[in-house]
Amino acid sequence: MSTDTPTATFDTLDDLPADQRVLVRLDLNSPIEDGAPQDNRRFERHAETVRELAEAGHRVALLAHQGRPGRDDFVSLAGHAEILAEHVGRDVDFVADTYGKKAIDAIEALDAGEILLLENTRMCDDELPEEDPETKAETEFVQALAPHFDAYVDDAYSAAHRSHASIVGFPLVLPAYAGRVMQTEYEANTAIAGKEFDGRVTMVVGGTKATDVIDVMNNLGTKVDDFLLGGIAGELFLRAAGAPVGFDLDPEADLYDSQWEANHAVVEEMLDERGEQITLATDLAYEDDGGERAETDVDAIEEKDVSFLDVGTDTAEGYADVVRDSEAVFVKGALGVFEDERFSVGTVTVLEAIAETDCFSVVGGGDTSRAIGMYGMDEADFDHVSIAGGAYIRALTGQPLAGVEALKRE
């Protein structure tokens, strides 16, 4: 059994007074196809906060971002309003302005229970530069909007590692509260540091950003009993252990060699000092000449001449056995290219074992959580499925999140 996570030191929607005009920061950043946003888990999650506020009779104005200037996904939020409305079950009006006259007029016209989405925050010059909260609070963006609201609600946990105006500026000039996504993500993602577990604590580590997960492993070394490795990080650790893998076959790809150069010293040190905590793949999967999944034992590899796209079946089943014997399991990154069904075995086998086991579980890290829906699993079988990427990493590595720290201010 575990002790409860210490409660956060910020106010939540439970503390919000009645009849407020509320400015709410969401993270609706989405894949863009042919100029249109694609529905995803973020809309569904944030709809809970928006619906709760509207049903309570608050007048709700929403801020969100999409993409970055100069990129193809830097578009208006008009399409986001339509998708969000479907999830909320109420109309979500949109105004193509963030803090100018059109926006202010629309905000002032809000009636109880009405919802308005303002234009992409990153279309404002004040939004993006990473600056301290005091500087952001003095920007025209914040100073123009704040007087028209009674309260600020931050629900954008996945953007909480950014010191942007809409994240850290408003909490300095308005009473600030955490939305439901912010609240649940914070509690779940800090649980590995905030809870004490009597039984085995396991972390499944994979994905393509080896530097990130190596930092996580270093930070959590005293909190985790078993690290189960796959993905690029797994190959780099195998390389450090003497296996002829973890190299780039195509120098143009640069997935392994630059990350090896940056991290090999710490990887070798971790294997030397904490090797008993680290479990590496014993077999790996690749695509054979016929386009089928094939597997090989790591000990049988003499030279890397194929790209390894998943851990092997024996490894996956061994990892699943560890999961079933764990009291808590945290997932950061996929064990293989799960988007291709042929190479989903590692990721899916472990996730299914977590779902079937009565353990405390948090799944996060980029797109890994998508595998749950793709392969017919139920999110309800996991304690928390994170929609955060960078913020999830920072929470696991013990770094403060600017958005969370802003909410904690007196």
Side-chain angles (χ1 to χ4, degrees):
M1 296 298 291
S2 63
T3 60
D4 290 337
T5 305
T7 56
T9 55
F10 48 65
D11 289 333
T12 71
L13 298 190
D14 297 326
D15 305 298
L16 182 66
D19 190 25
Q20 301 281 286
R21 183 181 281 116
V22 185
L23 182 63
V24 186
R25 179 58 157 92
L26 311 179
D27 183 359
L28 302 179
N29 198 42
S30 307
I32 302 296
E33 295 182 10
D34 299 324
Q38 304 303 296
D39 197 354
N40 60 56
R41 185 178 285 107
R42 286 180 174 173
F43 287 96
E44 178 184 355
R45 292 282 182 84
H46 286 302
E48 178 184 354
T49 294
V50 176
R51 185 186 310 111
E52 180 176 344
L53 289 167
E55 289 180 350
H58 299 294
R59 290 154 286 169
V60 184
L62 310 173
L63 290 173
H65 72 274
Q66 174 60 54
R68 281 182 176 264
R71 298 183 182 176
D72 292 341
D73 63 349
F74 185 59
V75 300
S76 169
L77 298 185
H80 298 65
E82 297 177 7
I83 298 173
L84 184 61
E86 294 176 4
H87 287 283
V88 175
R90 287 174 174 245
D91 291 339
V92 176
D93 293 331
F94 172 76
V95 59
D97 186 17
T98 310
Y99 65 89
K101 186 176 186 304
K102 289 182 180 178
I104 301 303
D105 288 346
I107 291 165
E108 293 293 336
L110 283 170
D111 286 330
E114 291 186 338
I115 307 165
L116 171 71
L117 176 62
L118 304 176
E119 185 56 285
N120 190 341
T121 61
R122 292 185 176 175
M123 292 181 178
C124 302
D125 292 340
D126 293 334
E127 171 72 346
L128 276 179
E130 294 272 351
E131 297 170 312
D132 62 76
E134 288 76 14
T135 299
K136 289 304 189 185
E138 293 298 323
T139 59
E140 181 181 1
F141 177 19
V142 173
Q143 291 295 314
L145 270 186
H148 302 278
F149 292 94
D150 303 306
Y152 168 79
V153 172
D154 190 354
D155 209 35
Y157 179 86
S158 51
H161 56 305
R162 304 295 188 188
S163 189
H164 294 162
S166 63
I167 300 291
V168 301
F170 289 104
L172 270 64
V173 297
L174 286 168
Y177 305 83
R180 297 309 184 194
V181 170
M182 174 66 77
Q183 182 182 359
T184 57
E185 288 273 5
Y186 175 85
E187 291 174 356
N189 296 341
T190 57
I192 197 166
K195 286 191 175 186
E196 293 293 333
F197 297 97
D198 295 331
R200 177 185 286 190
V201 177
T202 296
M203 179 161 236
V204 182
V205 177
T208 59
K209 297 179 180 177
T211 299
D212 283 351
V213 298
I214 289 166
D215 287 345
V216 169
M217 292 173 67
N218 245 341
N219 184 67
L220 298 178
T222 61
K223 299 284 186 179
V224 175
D225 299 298
D226 298 281
F227 291 100
L228 311 178
L229 270 64
I232 288 178
E235 277 199 56
L236 294 185
F237 272 81
L238 283 170
R239 177 175 174 176
V245 299
F247 300 86
D248 285 312
L249 295 177
D250 177 4
E252 301 270 326
D254 193 22
L255 291 173
Y256 295 92
D257 292 335
S258 63
Q259 295 197 77
W260 170 260
E261 186 64 28
N263 298 292
H264 71 89
V266 68
V267 168
E268 290 165 351
E269 181 181 350
M270 290 172 67
L271 281 175
D272 182 52
E273 296 183 356
R274 294 194 273 125
E276 72 282 353
Q277 293 175 268
I278 299 168
T279 304
L280 305 179
T282 57
D283 56 346
L284 297 169
Y286 61 95
E287 182 180 36
D288 66 16
D289 292 338
E292 299 296 323
R293 177 188 174 103
E295 299 187 356
T296 181
D297 288 341
V298 171
D299 289 344
I301 301 171
E302 297 181 358
E303 180 181 0
K304 183 175 180 179
D305 55 6
V306 295
S307 294
F308 296 111
L309 303 174
D310 192 13
V311 298
T313 301
D314 286 347
T315 297
E317 291 176 351
Y319 285 3
D321 287 341
V322 174
V323 164
R324 294 187 187 100
D325 194 36
S326 299
E327 186 183 354
V329 181
F330 295 80
V331 178
K332 168 61 189 88
L335 295 176
V337 186
F338 69 84
E339 295 89 346
D340 184 330
E341 189 172 1
R342 296 172 300 170
F343 303 107
S344 65
V345 173
T347 302
V348 172
T349 298
V350 167
L351 287 176
E352 287 180 341
I354 295 171
E356 295 164 1
T357 303
D358 185 21
C359 63
F360 178 84
S361 57
V362 179
V363 178
D367 292 334
T368 310
S369 58
R370 288 196 297 116
I372 293 172
M374 283 181 64
Y375 293 96
M377 289 172 273
D378 188 346
E379 279 196 21
D381 291 329
F382 303 84
D383 285 275
H384 184 66
V385 179
S386 178
I387 58 174
Y392 181 64
I393 289 293
R394 293 209 183 184
L396 293 179
T397 54
Q399 299 178 60
L401 299 173
V404 173
E405 295 305 308
L407 286 177
K408 291 180 178 181
R409 287 172 176 256
E410 293 295 334

